Amino acid sequence: MVRTASAAGSRTGKVVHGTGRRIRRATSAEGAGESGLAKLIELHALNSFGDMLITVALASTIFFSVPTGEARGRVALYLLITMAPFAVLAPVVGPLLDRLPHGRRAAMAMAMLARAVLAWTMAGVIAGGGIALYPEALGVLVASKAYGVVRSVVVPRLLPSRLSLVKANSRVTLAGLLATGVAAGVGGLLHLLGPGWPLRGAFLVFVIGTLMAFHLPPAVDSAKGEQRAVLHAEVPGEGPHLIEGSHLIHRPPPVKAPLRAVGPSVVLALRAMSAMKWLVGFLVMFLAFLLREEPVGGLEPTAALGLVALAAGTGNALGSVLGSWLRTRGPEATVAAMLLLATCATAAAALWYGVVTVVLVALAAGMAASLAKLALDALIQRDVPEAVRTSAFARSETLMQLSWVAGGAVGILLPLNGKLGLSIAAAVVALMLLWTLRSLFRVGLRRHPAAARVA
């Protein structure tokens, strides 16, 4: 028995070691290991793992442990208590992080440590599911978004010469999605031990993440070679004057614009992405309660929910994989195409409501939101100067989160009628699609960012 156990342990160790080497080889490919991007990819995977453990713990308490009617009330209360303060706090995150261009490793570590403390605290009160749980969930949400903002800003600093921004973003996102899938299974097993155990697991994960954040390359905190820039509203052209023939035509000096003037391409992408986030939030809430009450295709509620969740996760992964194949050219067209895909899938599900179309709309929405987010990040990294990029990401993340909540709120309030709900969703995203296409024709496709002025 001792020899058998020893042999089994040796084989397990070899499998774990081999898996670790393959993961490290994948994350370090195409110069990511030399530039330090591989360490950021691994940190983001750990971050996603911990966030998913917290999500499993909250979902089991708020959604699955009570009847459908009571669950809708609990989820609505959760959205109200956490998102209303978040709408006020989130815009502060960007300007605050703008003041820390040389302390972003510390900022990421603090975001990890804050969630570790909150996860441990929540583990002691989650069994009761009382209102005291919700302010702590708000703290987790704010810390998670702060990490996300810094992570998006850090990617260009660690970008290898052989990778584009879209491909680097997709690699980071895909690592997070894979970690999320693994964490969902681990969280389910930990929940069998008790409702607080997924949170204790998250505590351990975020403590490790805190240490890993300090081991990111020094380039994360270094501003060497970067130019401090501000946004300007400027008439089209390459500078303050233009030469036509032999005449020199002087332009008026550029007029400073407020921070929200991030450029027409970014505004276009933000508008389209907010529509897709609205749709994702709507589908999550509406289908979660609808399939629990009236499963499609004769499936059991758990099986129907699991099938839709699998389709959405697969769509997210497909979007990240496709993003790694795209060039940085034409991200505006990518965002518009993904909104068109989501609109067509939602309209088809409304017209021919059934198990196949419900799965397809979950797949399409997941893929569209994932790929469009990569294109949006690339646009912000391309067009917004370094001096205000953190604020731009913070406002972007805030808008995405609030759009998701708005969609979720509509999904909770609507009657549980599949064709009615999906018809309303299709109408909303179709209107946003028309607005986006109109803006796309006006903006056109830019291959290079506008030159930023040095402050």
Side-chain angles (χ1 to χ4, degrees), residues 197-216:
W197 281 99
L199 293 167
R200 294 185 181 97
F203 165 79
L204 179 61
V205 168
F206 286 127
V207 168
I208 296 173
T210 301
L211 300 176
M212 287 181 62
F214 284 114
H215 284 83
L216 289 173

Side-chain angles (χ1 to χ4, degrees), residues 189-249:
L189 293 176
L190 289 174
H191 182 69
L192 297 177
L193 302 177
W197 281 99
L199 293 167
R200 294 185 181 97
F203 165 79
L204 179 61
V205 168
F206 286 127
V207 168
I208 296 173
T210 301
L211 300 176
M212 287 181 62
F214 284 114
H215 284 83
L216 289 173
V220 170
D221 287 337
S222 174
K224 183 178 179 180
E226 295 178 351
Q227 292 181 324
R228 302 294 292 173
V230 294
L231 294 178
H232 289 273
E234 187 173 300
V235 293
E238 295 297 326
H241 52 76
L242 180 67
I243 298 177
E244 286 187 0
S246 59
H247 301 286
L248 180 66
I249 302 175

Side-chain angles (χ1 to χ4, degrees), residues 404-417:
W404 191 98
V405 172
V410 175
I412 292 173
L413 295 174
L414 281 180
L416 295 179
N417 182 299

Side-chain angles (χ1 to χ4, degrees), residues 35-419:
S35 71
L37 181 64
K39 290 186 177 181
L40 181 63
I41 292 173
E42 293 162 6
L43 177 64
H44 184 64
L46 202 66
N47 173 82
S48 301
F49 195 100
D51 276 346
M52 188 60 193
L53 289 180
I54 293 179
T55 301
V56 169
L58 292 175
S60 63
T61 301
I62 297 173
F63 180 74
F64 289 107
S65 62
V66 294
T68 302
E70 186 178 344
R72 294 181 85 178
R74 282 196 179 193
V75 172
L77 181 63
Y78 172 79
L79 293 179
L80 177 64
I81 293 179
T82 58
M83 294 305 165
F86 179 77
V88 177
L89 292 175
V92 179
V93 173
L96 178 63
L97 294 176
D98 274 336
R99 300 177 182 274
L100 298 172
H102 303 285
R104 285 174 178 158
R105 285 186 295 184
M108 297 175 85
M110 291 303 103
M112 292 279 187
L113 182 60
R115 280 177 288 170
V117 173
L118 289 168
W120 187 264
T121 305
M122 291 166 67
V125 300
I126 194 169
I131 199 170
L133 183 67
Y134 295 175
E136 294 165 345
L138 170 63
V140 170
L141 180 63
V142 172
S144 179
K145 291 306 173 185
Y147 162 84
V149 169
V150 180
R151 190 265 301 171
S152 297
V153 175
V154 161
V155 171
R157 294 186 174 191
L158 302 178
L159 187 68
S161 58
R162 285 176 278 175
L163 285 181
S164 67
L165 278 174
V166 172
K167 193 169 184 179
N169 286 329
S170 67
R171 187 174 292 186
V172 174
T173 303
L174 184 58
L177 289 172
L178 294 175
T180 296
V182 175
V186 174
L189 293 176
L190 289 174
H191 182 69
L192 297 177
L193 302 177
W197 281 99
L199 293 167
R200 294 185 181 97
F203 165 79
L204 179 61
V205 168
F206 286 127
V207 168
I208 296 173
T210 301
L211 300 176
M212 287 181 62
F214 284 114
H215 284 83
L216 289 173
V220 170
D221 287 337
S222 174
K224 183 178 179 180
E226 295 178 351
Q227 292 181 324
R228 302 294 292 173
V230 294
L231 294 178
H232 289 273
E234 187 173 300
V235 293
E238 295 297 326
H241 52 76
L242 180 67
I243 298 177
E244 286 187 0
S246 59
H247 301 286
L248 180 66
I249 302 175
H250 291 276
R251 297 186 184 276
V255 180
K256 287 188 177 181
L259 178 60
R260 62 178 179 271
V262 292
S265 294
V266 176
V267 171
L268 180 152
L270 280 171
R271 186 182 300 129
M273 189 63 211
S274 65
M276 281 181 276
K277 276 293 186 180
W278 183 95
L279 177 63
V280 170
F282 173 85
L283 292 176
V284 167
M285 295 300 174
F286 184 72
L287 293 180
F289 291 112
L290 176 65
L291 298 180
R292 184 178 176 182
E293 193 73 13
E294 299 177 5
V296 294
L299 299 174
E300 291 294 323
T302 305
L305 287 170
L307 187 61
V308 171
L310 177 63
T314 303
N316 270 290
L318 282 174
S320 296
V321 172
L322 289 173
S324 68
W325 294 342
L326 291 179
R327 300 178 180 180
T328 55
R329 298 177 180 179
E332 301 94 336
T334 299
V335 172
M338 290 302 99
L339 184 55
L340 175 62
L341 172 65
T343 303
C344 293
T346 309
L351 291 172
W352 301 287
Y353 178 73
V355 62
V356 175
T357 52
V358 167
V359 169
L360 286 178
V361 75
L363 178 72
M367 184 176 73
S370 175
L371 187 50
K373 181 62 168 63
L374 294 174
L376 171 62
D377 286 351
L379 278 170
I380 294 176
Q381 291 164 343
R382 185 194 76 179
D383 289 359
V384 179
E386 171 71 18
V388 291
R389 192 177 292 152
T390 311
S391 296
F393 272 114
R395 295 187 179 193
S396 167
E397 292 293 333
T398 302
L399 179 60
M400 298 304 103
Q401 191 70 33
L402 294 179
S403 299
W404 191 98
V405 172
V410 175
I412 292 173
L413 295 174
L414 281 180
L416 295 179
N417 182 299
K419 289 192 174 183

